[in-house]
Amino acid sequence: MKFEVTILGSSSATPIYNRNPTSQVLNINERLYLIDCGEGTQQQMLRFDVRASRIDHIFISHLHGDHYLGLVGLLSSLHLNGRKKPLKLFGPPQLMEIIDLQFKYSETTIQYAIDFFPTDATRRQVIVVNEDVTIETIPLDHRIACTGFLFRQKKRLRKLLKDELERLQVPVEVFTALKKGADYTDLKGKVYKNDTLTTDSDVPKTYAYCSDTLFNEQYFAQINNTDLLYHEATFLHNMVDRANETHHTTALQAGQIALTVNAKKLLIGHFSARYKTLDELLEEAQSVFPNTALAIEGRTFVV
């Protein structure tokens, strides 16, 4: 099952040349989930061949502009392009007030439903459950209410060994039961154990998106053993005082977090515009956690 994230934006409060404000799109079994929507997200979708019409879930971590100022434009474009199916939107309670105000004064009436689900930054919530994934909020420690998002892949049914099924002429109507773990008894009464006809499905993966936050152990337990951890790394550690003042994290701290929570891979982003190149940030995180990569725009990472 496909489970991968494409970076659309990796800058922090202000965009710079070749780096846009924060946005990512997650592909889980060909369902697209948009995470944050900074300015220019629509242009990045066009640039990296992401079809906005395929997005049915949008998650906004908090109400600093670099994480949501592209949203109203995206919602408007979906309307202008003829969208009819509902869109599920998750974010701070005040987000819908902002959207309604924008549409009110532009006299815009969109032709599809927005199902809005307010998040609560004070507690962990399960906000989406479907056949592919369970999605939870991660309460973070930022200057204003802010949540990350944890995507837990669901365990798939067992995989059929087709060659063996054909050899034994197992009828198609029992395939579903086999996928669920049942044994098979043929017409002569012979029993075939399930593990001779199927194999176990892949181990479910997890992706944790930790948006703007101060280094704070309160959320560490929730992201323990994450397969791919995205964590903000706005500053180098020589600016840790500035990071603390603005409730952000340094690259060194991001590496320490990944090590502490036993993440398999770390992805750092939300880079301050003061850094024209990102090598120092990467090296600093890797000094603690070697399996670290930069959230470079246009790159896709398999979870």
Side-chain angles (χ1 to χ4, degrees):
M1 183 174 84
K2 184 173 284 189
F3 194 7
E4 61 187 29
V5 60
T6 298
I7 308 303
L8 301 178
S10 63
S11 188
S12 57
T14 57
I16 68 169
Y17 181 72
N18 275 344
R19 288 211 306 268
N20 279 40
T22 301
S23 186
Q24 304 180 1
V25 63
L26 193 60
N27 184 329
I28 305 177
N29 203 24
E30 299 303 338
R31 288 183 176 179
L32 300 188
Y33 302 80
L34 184 68
I35 312 170
D36 278 337
C37 189
E39 293 174 80
T41 293
Q42 290 189 81
Q43 290 290 336
Q44 294 292 84
M45 288 182 182
L46 293 172
R47 181 181 176 192
F48 300 124
D49 197 26
V50 176
R51 290 178 56 192
S53 61
R54 292 181 55 200
I55 295 170
D56 294 330
H57 299 74
I58 298 177
F59 304 87
I60 302 297
S61 62
H62 66 295
L63 293 180
H64 280 156
D66 52 317
H67 294 261
Y68 85 95
L69 284 181
L71 180 61
V72 170
L74 174 60
L75 298 177
S76 299
S77 292
L78 292 173
H79 159 70
L80 293 172
N81 288 330
R83 184 184 181 101
K84 299 299 181 185
K85 60 180 177 177
L87 178 77
K88 291 181 172 60
L89 175 63
F90 304 81
Q94 303 86 348
L95 178 59
M96 204 64 215
E97 178 184 352
I98 295 170
I99 293 169
D100 288 340
L101 191 65
Q102 292 272 354
F103 287 154
K104 175 181 177 181
Y105 288 108
S106 66
E107 298 184 9
T108 299
T109 303
I110 60 173
Q111 299 302 307
Y112 61 92
I114 296 178
D115 297 329
F116 179 61
F117 301 87
T119 53
D120 181 351
T122 67
R123 63 189 181 92
R124 172 178 173 177
Q125 296 172 287
V126 175
I127 54 176
V128 174
V129 179
N130 59 36
E131 62 268 29
D132 296 320
V133 67
T134 298
I135 305 171
E136 306 171 7
T137 58
I138 305 170
L140 298 174
D141 184 357
H142 193 40
R143 192 166 58 82
I144 64 172
C146 181
T147 65
F149 300 99
L150 180 63
F151 297 78
R152 295 184 186 275
Q153 192 179 38
K154 282 194 171 179
K155 179 74 171 173
R156 308 295 284 180
L157 297 176
R158 295 182 65 81
K159 299 177 182 178
L160 301 176
L161 297 175
K162 293 184 179 180
D163 290 345
E164 187 67 7
L165 296 176
E166 289 178 4
R167 186 183 72 80
L168 296 172
Q169 297 184 333
V170 177
V172 173
E173 54 265 26
V174 304
F175 283 8
T176 299
L178 289 173
K179 289 180 180 180
K180 293 179 179 179
D183 296 331
Y184 167 63
T185 304
D186 67 15
L187 294 176
K188 297 179 180 179
K190 184 175 180 179
V191 177
Y192 295 87
K193 292 295 185 181
N194 185 272
D195 59 9
T196 66
L197 303 176
T198 69
T199 59
D200 198 10
S201 59
D202 296 335
V203 176
K205 301 292 184 64
T206 55
Y207 175 62
Y209 172 84
C210 292
S211 178
D212 300 19
T213 185
L214 188 70
F215 181 95
N216 187 328
E217 294 184 2
Q218 69 180 14
Y219 59 93
F220 288 9
Q222 189 180 358
I223 62 174
N224 215 32
N225 298 313
T226 301
D227 290 279
L228 179 59
L229 168 62
Y230 168 85
H231 202 286
E232 72 124 294
T234 307
F235 301 106
L236 288 169
H237 203 68
N238 60 11
M239 296 194 68
V240 66
D241 290 342
R242 179 61 176 164
N244 291 336
E245 178 187 348
T246 57
H247 280 237
H248 283 297
T249 304
T250 69
L252 184 70
Q253 289 173 327
Q256 291 170 338
I257 292 167
L259 184 66
T260 300
V261 303
N262 195 36
K264 292 184 176 61
K265 185 180 180 70
L266 171 65
L267 191 58
I268 57 172
H270 198 262
F271 309 115
S272 169
R274 74 185 67 240
Y275 304 113
K276 307 309 179 198
T277 62
L278 303 174
D279 292 345
E280 285 185 280
L281 289 152
L282 178 61
E283 290 168 5
E284 186 171 275
Q286 287 179 334
S287 71
V288 180
F289 191 81
N291 195 16
T292 301
L294 296 169
I296 299 296
E297 296 174 16
R299 285 195 61 187
T300 295
F301 298 87
V302 176
V303 178

